[in-house]
Amino acid sequence: MNTLAAILIPISYILDHSQILFVVSAEIKLKTSVKIAGFSIFVETSHFKPKLIVVDIKPKITPIYQTSVFNFEDLNELELYFEQPGQSYMYTRYGNPNSDELAQEVNKLEQGAGAVVTSSGMSAILAAILGFCKAGDHILCAEEVYGGSSALIRQELTRMGIEVSFLPASDTYSLHEYVQPNTRMMLAETISNPLVQVLDVRRLAQETKKQGIKLIVDNTFASPILTKPLLLGADIVVHSVTKYLSGHSDVTAGVVICEEAEDAQRVLKVMMTYGLNLSPFDSWLAVRGLKTIWIRMRQHCSNALTIAAYLQGHPKVEQVWYPGLEQHPQHELAKEQGEGLFGGMLSFRLKDDTEEAVNKFMRALEHIPFAPSLAGVNTSISHPLRTSHRSLSSEQQQNMGITIGVIRLSVGIEEPEELIAELEAALDNIN
């Protein structure tokens, strides 16, 4: 305490005054001497209750509020917390300045009425569903979605008494045969994982409104830079913040954005009650990553289009899935909905559709890692059959066209010529 008090004195003041007296209480209990730069500083203190001195500092970047709980002066201040929600903080599971900042920034991008940050993309989907569904309710889900989403709905929510029907792509916009009296919502992805099929959000939103159910859109693959589903009629948008929003493969987080403020409050209640909150530090990291999303997404998209065109012309590649290619079945839709941007994700199938060929390809990649995630600034590959969609049955995998030779490529922001050279060398390694 005494050393800290001495250090806080400006150095220029110390040089002019070899002896300085600090009196912090009328009752003197302790006298000590501290030497700084050869000068003796005498400090007198007493036993006292420490009290924080608030200084009007204005950092450019929001500090990290790495605390689990916040203090109150008395019962009156506590009551204000409950009477005026959103004006102060009590417990980080309920709210924290860092997670609130992230929610506000994503909400601006998606142009929603409110957003709730969660601990992961999966917890975001869970919060969005549990906010409006209970035991005995029924939900619809597009057949081609992230395998983790499918497993959550198919294996876990059904244990809670929530029924589910999966829709094949051919029936995505014809829900009348699937909607039941207890149907509450439908979940789909803007750009599907892993074969990057593009959802006509406006068309599906018109159908869900006709059926009187909510539409939840997972916008992770597109990001709000390409598509804003709420503006196209969706009720709720979810993201794995881990991916493009944060963008640097160093955060695990999720977010739910709602078109109605009342819905956002309901999701917030689920997040708080189930303990799905995000830590202050991860929130801070995600906000930092979010600041560069505009420039990152443009480079991701530009590189992906270049590489997709290259792979399409390679003799050892059987098929390429990328919305930016004119041959893609939803190319025109993607062009309109993404305002000329097509995303940074693509998948391709090796002509030699075998495990041996896949392993040879992976091992030959020197700088592109096999990492079962996506959307970082560094390019990586993944294998849907053995990672994201391994929980599906063989029949489901086959129906979706996910074979052993399908490789998903998350294209980063490196120089495209360097990426093509590495892919060329790896493909040359296949017999």
Side-chain angles (χ1 to χ4, degrees), residues 276-290:
L276 306 178
N277 60 290
L278 184 64
S279 76
F281 184 56
D282 280 342
S283 299
W284 184 86
L285 279 176
V287 168
R288 185 183 64 167
L290 194 63

Side-chain angles (χ1 to χ4, degrees), residues 104-156:
Q104 291 163 9
E105 292 302 317
V106 177
N107 189 57
K108 287 180 190 176
L109 286 174
E110 288 286 6
Q111 297 185 31
V116 179
V117 171
T118 66
S119 57
S120 68
M122 290 304 303
S123 62
I125 293 175
L126 178 65
I129 294 176
L130 293 185
F132 308 97
C133 291
K134 61 183 184 304
D137 286 341
H138 173 249
I139 63 176
L140 304 176
C141 185
E143 187 174 56
E144 188 175 323
V145 294
Y146 168 53
S149 303
S150 177
L152 170 68
I153 296 170
R154 190 189 306 271
Q155 299 173 15
E156 299 301 324

